[in-house]
Amino acid sequence: VRPLSIPLQGKVALITGASGGIGFTTARALAATGARLSLIARTPAKLTRARDQLLDAGFPPDQVIAIPTDMSDPDAAARAVSATQDQLGGIDILINAAGGAHLKPFHELPIAAIAEDVGANLMATLYTTRHALPALIASQGHIINVVSGLGKRGASSAAAFAAAKFGVQGFTESLRLDVARFGVRVTALSPAGAGVNTAFWDTADPKIRRDQMLAPERIAELILIILTTRANALIDDVTIRTS
Ligand SMILES: NC(=O)c1ccc[n+]([C@@H]2O[C@H](COP(=O)([O-])OP(=O)(O)OC[C@H]3O[C@@H](n4cnc5c(N)ncnc54)[C@H](OP(=O)(O)O)[C@@H]3O)[C@@H](O)[C@H]2O)c1
């Protein structure tokens, strides 16, 4: 058995949720492999800071573009995907890591929070993927959807988030069957258990203890393994939790 060495050098990765947490940590790891990146998140200042951090780390400006976009808006998502293709010449890898959660009993959850959780986690994933699919079919690319343990089993105070993530899980399983014939690979990656120590928890549950959580680097490492697994083997559905 030889260590995997599928090159990611020069591949184009579109990453949603790229300004923080799992998305940003994955962007940094992919940049180090020589991949070219389109970073996407809503807040322009946060996204510019994320790109600047990569440039400060020595990655060249033409390796990393940033396109501030709310990907739960289907027209804006279309523009961000085509800007990525125009500027980087295609899409080989799509990481759907945009998301967020409001964790409260459902009867206390404002309607705006429901819309935001479903928008960021589910609709953004559907729209981004739909718009990027022609490019991913052309490149025989790889899609990784960041799901959640709450996409497989519900929990109290997580009804809207779980509804969105069950949707992402069902979407991912079904999409995989639709696009396998084109050589497009699709993976569901679910952080579970104590969670991942990111700004996600600032909104989801600011009082939660974070010392048992996974570092986002563990998720980024797993994403690199998934992407570099040889093409006749697919890591299709994986859960990662604190041991
Ligand atoms: N942290 C955990 O314990 C955990 C556990 C299970 C699953 N997850 C999932 O992992 C993914 C990444 O979360 P994280 O922990 O890295 O959280 P994070 O640090 O809060 O990052 C979330 C990213 O998504 C972006 N975003 C949110 N809504 C968006 C939208 N509508 N369009 C485009 N970008 C959007 C955010 O930037 P803006 O706000 O500026 O848009 C930010 O860049 C999410 O899908 C989350 O549900 C996280």
Side-chain angles (χ1 to χ4, degrees):
V1 174
R2 285 171 291 122
L4 297 177
S5 58
I6 311 290
L8 297 176
Q9 173 83 32
K11 301 264 186 206
V12 174
L14 187 162
I15 305 172
T16 72
S19 65
I22 293 169
F24 177 68
T25 312
T26 301
R28 208 172 44 204
L30 278 172
T33 70
R36 294 179 297 142
L37 308 179
S38 173
L39 310 180
I40 297 179
R42 288 171 304 181
T43 316
K46 262 172 52 187
L47 192 62
T48 303
R49 208 159 50 236
R51 179 172 183 265
D52 286 347
Q53 279 187 52
L54 296 181
L55 302 194
D56 290 348
F59 299 110
D62 61 356
Q63 192 186 347
V64 188
I65 64 171
I67 309 174
T69 308
D70 180 348
M71 298 303 270
S72 69
D73 171 341
D75 297 331
R79 287 193 292 275
V81 168
S82 60
T84 299
Q85 291 177 258
D86 290 348
Q87 293 179 54
L88 298 178
I91 303 172
D92 302 289
I93 295 163
L94 168 60
I95 313 281
N96 281 306
H102 297 81
L103 301 181
K104 276 190 177 157
F106 195 65
H107 54 275
E108 294 175 17
L109 206 56
I111 290 291
I114 299 171
E116 210 177 307
D117 286 7
V118 173
N121 293 287
L122 177 58
M123 301 316 292
T125 298
L126 296 177
Y127 297 144
T128 308
T129 306
R130 180 64 188 87
H131 291 311
L133 255 185
L136 287 156
I137 288 172
S139 65
Q140 301 198 314
H142 200 143
I143 301 165
I144 299 182
N145 291 337
V146 181
V147 200
S148 168
L150 290 164
K152 293 185 171 171
R153 178 177 284 264
S156 63
S157 295
F161 182 72
K165 290 299 193 183
F166 268 71
V168 177
Q169 179 68 28
F171 168 60
T172 308
E173 291 174 13
S174 305
L175 175 72
R176 185 182 304 124
L177 301 174
D178 280 348
V179 300
R181 76 194 73 167
F182 303 115
V184 177
R185 290 137 64 77
V186 182
T187 298
L189 188 174
S190 290
V196 185
N197 190 359
T198 69
F200 173 95
W201 292 102
D202 298 350
T203 304
D205 185 354
K207 295 203 185 105
I208 198 167
R209 282 189 58 178
R210 299 193 187 190
D211 50 346
Q212 294 301 313
M213 290 185 179
L214 291 171
E217 284 76 8
R218 301 295 82 75
I219 316 299
E221 287 161 3
L222 182 54
I223 286 175
L224 288 194
I225 291 169
I226 292 165
L227 291 174
T228 55
T229 295
R230 289 186 177 79
N232 66 349
L234 172 66
I235 298 174
D236 61 355
D237 197 313
V238 59
T239 300
I240 179 168
R241 64 178 72 245
T242 330
S243 59

